[in-house]
Amino acid sequence: GEDVEQSLFLSVREGDSSVINCTYTDSSSTYLYWYKQEPGAGLQLLTYIFSNMDMKQDQRLTVLLNKKDKHLSLRIADTQTGDSAIYFCAANTGFQKLVFGTGTRLLVSP
Amino acid sequence: NAGVMQNPRHLVRRRGQEARLRCSPMKGHSHVYWYRQLPEEGLKFMVYLQKENIIDESGMPKERFSAEFPKEGPSILRIQQVVRGDSAAYFCASSERDRSRGETQYFGPGTRLLVL
């Protein structure tokens, strides 16, 4: 089955760019998602990309997809302290369920 | 348009009791999913339901766990005879049948279950 992996931690300074990486194993994944989770809260959908796209930009967020390497990244420009949270990558394998990575904890320091 | 609603937000049970978790999907959404998040881990799929039907329960433990999504009312995740290992955050998500959005799933705030 699908396996999704992420690095566990990322620490950046306010104003810098953050890049969170994710790899997946199932090349048939049709949609790939990024969710944000703040402490004690649910998951907020940030953005998603369809597998026939290479890049998607949405304000401060840029998603890059390398299908050959099965690699997905989320770039946050001008990172703010309010961006500190756990970021989850998730793959939709076409069987409706999402397979999540373990999450990357982003810490933004002033 | 209200988002996905879950209640209770926090639930404390003693070992052996039953836990009932409720989920109301977003308006217009007919697909409901339940996920479990253990401490310091990602979310794991449990079950996918449409109205009155369980479509995929491949992530549900074989015993003590059941889910339903009746014609009227919220979806219910039921855990019988809870054990300490059931302590986790349980998230519900919903989606609509919209291929243009990839049937994107929107999540509720979760129910945090603590078993004493």
Side-chain angles (χ1 to χ4, degrees):
Chain A
E2 175 73 280
D3 190 24
V4 178
E5 293 194 358
Q6 302 177 238
S7 52
L8 291 179
F9 296 103
L10 177 64
S11 180
V12 301
R13 289 196 179 276
E14 195 172 20
D16 289 349
S17 290
S18 307
V19 179
I20 302 171
N21 294 302
C22 169
T23 58
Y24 59 98
T25 56
D26 188 345
S27 57
S28 68
S29 290
T30 51
Y31 283 88
L32 297 139
Y33 300 84
W34 285 102
Y35 286 89
K36 175 184 179 183
Q37 185 180 36
E38 296 183 80
L43 274 72
Q44 174 194 353
L45 176 66
L46 289 178
T47 187
Y48 64 91
I49 189 166
F50 187 48
S51 59
N52 70 353
M53 298 168 66
D54 298 322
M55 185 183 89
K56 181 177 181 181
Q57 186 150 7
D58 185 359
Q59 299 183 329
R60 291 191 297 124
L61 305 178
T62 303
V63 179
L64 295 177
L65 175 60
N66 181 329
K67 290 184 287 294
K68 177 175 169 289
D69 295 337
K70 301 191 192 69
H71 181 267
L72 182 74
S73 67
L74 174 69
R75 178 176 180 269
I76 306 173
D78 187 26
T79 314
Q80 302 298 307
T81 54
D83 294 325
S84 292
I86 301 175
Y87 290 80
F88 289 98
C89 166
N92 182 329
T93 62
F95 293 100
Q96 305 305 327
K97 62 187 177 188
L98 292 178
V99 178
F100 283 84
T102 51
T104 298
R105 191 179 298 269
L106 173 64
L107 177 63
V108 183
S109 52
Chain B
N1 187 5
V4 178
M5 299 175 67
Q6 290 187 250
N7 67 81
R9 294 290 304 276
H10 299 274
L11 183 60
V12 179
R13 285 287 178 266
R14 295 191 179 279
R15 280 179 297 169
Q17 292 184 317
E18 179 180 286
R20 277 183 183 246
L21 288 62
R22 285 176 291 277
C23 168
S24 296
M26 285 177 71
K27 188 175 179 181
H29 286 193
S30 58
H31 303 248
V32 166
Y33 314 79
W34 285 93
Y35 293 83
R36 176 165 65 176
Q37 184 181 31
L38 294 170
E40 305 300 318
E41 292 189 13
L43 279 73
K44 302 288 188 205
F45 169 80
M46 298 181 75
V47 62
Y48 162 43
L49 310 104
Q50 295 177 22
K51 287 281 187 183
E52 300 183 282
N53 283 304
I54 296 174
I55 307 302
D56 179 357
E57 56 181 347
S58 58
M60 287 278 270
K62 293 286 185 276
E63 297 176 347
R64 302 187 298 109
F65 284 72
S66 62
E68 62 176 11
F69 188 17
K71 189 176 179 182
E72 301 290 339
S75 175
I76 306 285
L77 179 67
R78 183 180 176 213
I79 312 172
Q80 295 178 287
Q81 299 175 316
V82 295
V83 301
R84 288 214 175 108
D86 297 332
S87 295
Y90 291 83
F91 290 96
C92 170
S94 72
S95 71
E96 61 181 328
R97 215 11 136 179
D98 183 345
R99 299 188 77 79
S100 67
R101 296 183 201 168
E103 298 169 10
T104 298
Q105 296 177 24
Y106 296 87
F107 283 78
T111 294
R112 278 144 182 92
L113 172 65
L114 176 62
V115 180
L116 302 177

